[in-house]
Amino acid sequence: SQTIHQWPATLVQPVGSPLSLECTVEGTSNPNLYWYRQAAGRGLQLLFYSVGIGQISSEVPQNLSASRPQDRQFILSSKKLLLSDSGFYLCAWARLTNEKLFFGSGTQLSVL
Amino acid sequence: GQQVMQIPQYQHVQEGEDFTTYCNSSTTLSNIQWYKQRPGGHPVFLIQLVKSGEVKKQKRLTFQFGEAKKNSSLHITATQTTDVGTYFCAGPSSNTGKLIFGQGTTLQVKP
């Protein structure tokens, strides 16, 4: 069966520090991968998605970047965090575009 | 751009009361998906509707896809405290196919 792992679960970082969140998927190949951000009590904002190794599409201009160095690995990064980067970050995968999403357990990021 | 809107944003009910959340898209959707996010958790896929006018049931949950495939609803009969959470609808973008999520309806159930 397929599983998705996302870590860390919580992270507190000072403003201006770098960020690296990692997500891996097991039990499937060539998944579509997604990074979402959820502000407290709000909906899901799509940040990046990838349909293959090295292929990244950005949905909104921001202080973050994403990379997909391996088929089932998706990384969210920042060189210098801003206060506004705080939020709940969710990785997700799907077999195909517009099919159901399977979400990781999320990372609660607090930038202080 | 294409939008998916949900109402209400919040709903407080007494345990045993019914609950309904509504989802409206600015464009026709090829399918509609529903997710549930428990407090502190991550969204979990509930169901997908594809056909015009489709109705699906999961125990006390009834999902409906409108005839025009632009709206959907989730109805919970006799809510329980385990129903607490945020319910999201999502539909594929007509341009990119990527899912566009509604803002969600947060349900609180008083025991």
Side-chain angles (χ1 to χ4, degrees), chain A residues 34 36 38 40-46 49 57 59 88 90 96-106, chain B residues 9-10 30-31 33 35 37 40-45 48 86 88 92 96-99 101-104 106:
Chain A
Y34 304 82
Y36 284 86
Q38 186 175 33
R42 302 291 297 278
L44 299 163
Q45 180 187 33
L46 179 61
Y49 72 96
S57 296
E59 287 295 296
F88 190 48
L90 289 155
L96 297 170
T97 302
N98 92 6
E99 287 200 358
K100 63 183 177 183
L101 292 172
F102 297 91
F103 286 87
S105 53
Chain B
Q9 188 174 0
Y10 299 98
S30 59
N31 70 74
Q33 299 175 22
Y35 294 79
Q37 184 177 24
H42 58 277
V44 175
F45 173 81
Q48 176 176 286
T86 301
F88 293 98
T96 66
K98 297 190 306 297
L99 287 179
F101 280 82
Q103 285 298 98
T106 298

Side-chain angles (χ1 to χ4, degrees), chain A residues 7-25:
Chain A
W7 67 93
T10 59
L11 191 59
V12 180
Q13 292 284 100
V15 169
S17 64
L19 172 73
S20 181
L21 301 181
E22 190 162 342
C23 172
T24 60
V25 180

Side-chain angles (χ1 to χ4, degrees), chain B residues 11-40:
Chain B
Q11 183 89 58
H12 296 254
V13 300
Q14 198 71 40
E15 189 173 20
E17 292 181 339
D18 293 355
F19 159 77
T20 304
T21 174
Y22 300 91
C23 179
N24 292 286
S25 169
S26 56
T27 62
T28 301
L29 299 170
S30 59
N31 70 74
I32 190 85
Q33 299 175 22
W34 285 91
Y35 294 79
K36 177 183 178 180
Q37 184 177 24
R38 295 181 185 274

Side-chain angles (χ1 to χ4, degrees), chain B residues 37-76:
Chain B
Q37 184 177 24
R38 295 181 185 274
H42 58 277
V44 175
F45 173 81
L46 292 176
I47 207 162
Q48 176 176 286
L49 305 172
V50 179
K51 299 177 183 176
S52 169
E54 187 172 12
V55 178
K56 286 188 176 180
K57 291 190 176 183
Q58 290 180 349
K59 297 183 180 178
R60 294 177 294 104
L61 277 61
T62 302
F63 303 85
Q64 189 167 4
F65 201 10
E67 293 290 339
K69 300 182 76 172
K70 292 180 71 174
N71 57 71
S72 181
S73 64
L74 158 59
H75 180 82
I76 302 179

Side-chain angles (χ1 to χ4, degrees), chain A residues 6-90:
Chain A
Q6 185 182 343
W7 67 93
T10 59
L11 191 59
V12 180
Q13 292 284 100
V15 169
S17 64
L19 172 73
S20 181
L21 301 181
E22 190 162 342
C23 172
T24 60
V25 180
E26 295 178 0
T28 188
S29 59
N30 199 30
N32 284 1
L33 296 172
Y34 304 82
W35 279 111
Y36 284 86
R37 177 169 59 201
Q38 186 175 33
R42 302 291 297 278
L44 299 163
Q45 180 187 33
L46 179 61
L47 302 176
F48 301 95
Y49 72 96
S50 171
V51 298
I53 296 175
Q55 300 178 60
I56 308 294
S57 296
S58 173
E59 287 295 296
V60 292
Q62 57 204 315
N63 183 42
L64 303 168
S65 62
S67 61
R68 185 171 178 172
Q70 300 179 42
D71 181 45
R72 290 169 289 177
Q73 184 184 27
F74 205 23
I75 297 172
L76 182 69
S77 304
S78 174
K79 292 182 179 178
K80 287 185 178 181
L81 284 168
L82 306 172
L83 287 173
S84 57
D85 292 322
S86 294
F88 190 48
Y89 289 83
L90 289 155

Side-chain angles (χ1 to χ4, degrees), chain A residues 100-112:
Chain A
K100 63 183 177 183
L101 292 172
F102 297 91
F103 286 87
S105 53
T107 297
Q108 184 64 54
L109 172 65
S110 299
V111 182
L112 305 176

